[in-house]
Amino acid sequence: MPDAYSIRAAVQADGSFLGDMVVEAANWRAGGARARHEILTAVEHRRYVTGWMRPADAGFVAIDSDESPIGAAWYRILAQDDPGFGYVGTAVPELIIGVRPVWRAHGVGRALLRRLVVHARSQGHSRISLSVEHDNFAKALYRSEGFIVTESGSVRDTMVNRMS
Ligand SMILES: CC(C)(COP(=O)(O)OP(=O)(O)OC[C@H]1O[C@@H](n2cnc3c(N)ncnc32)[C@H](O)[C@@H]1OP(=O)(O)O)[C@@H](O)C(=O)NCCC(=O)NCCS
């Protein structure tokens, strides 16, 4: 049974852990087992962590009582000519989130999401976007935190939180 956790701001040294969370997100489906190397060398995934941490990047890391990272939510502002799955416009941050399997369904993801949205607003952003596959339960989590579907593809939805 997981123990207590806390949340801290992400720092440059978290890049490798954020890579782990990109792998968790890409492998979210039960039985998903694409290799870390394969995922993190694929352009559509590596753009979420390459060169972490840039000036416009921001994120939060959840840590357990030993200060080991257990989950993270972060955003990047991706370029129009190198867009993420959830790109909606110039200068709109795109969110990525992942929690280690043993810690899921304990409130960590929602807590991280809330911290990141509050931070994005404090940085002057009026929107934050993400991409989620249709059948991922995380979609209900995002909806309950104020995200709405703005574009629906064959596999993924783009969701946006207008943080006014
Ligand atoms: C999606 C994810 C980040 C959510 O984090 P989490 O810590 O597990 O989520 P929380 O515990 O905060 O739960 C949030 C809500 O989702 C629900 N939930 C959690 N796990 C669930 C599951 N397996 N199936 C259905 N609902 C679930 C919870 O009941 C909760 O709702 P509630 O507050 O109304 O009870 C995490 O599960 C994860 O890393 N999943 C794999 C990677 C992934 O899918 N990333 C997102 C890609 S878009």
Side-chain angles (χ1 to χ4, degrees), residues 52-132:
W52 180 267
M53 151 175 217
R54 297 177 190 145
D57 291 339
F60 292 90
V61 174
I63 53 174
D64 67 12
S65 51
D66 294 329
E67 301 193 2
S68 297
I70 58 167
W74 69 103
Y75 65 67
R76 301 201 103 172
I77 296 176
L78 296 169
Q80 191 171 13
D81 61 359
D82 184 30
F85 291 116
Y87 182 86
V88 295
T90 315
V92 179
E94 182 173 341
L95 175 156
I96 307 98
I97 186 168
V99 173
R100 285 215 188 279
V102 68
W103 271 92
R104 288 181 196 159
H106 285 81
V108 177
R110 189 185 294 281
L112 285 166
L113 192 57
R114 287 185 176 171
R115 284 290 290 270
L116 192 66
V117 167
V118 166
H119 181 78
R121 196 185 292 121
S122 78
Q123 296 304 296
H125 295 296
S126 56
R127 292 185 291 166
I128 186 166
S129 72
L130 59 82
S131 173
V132 59

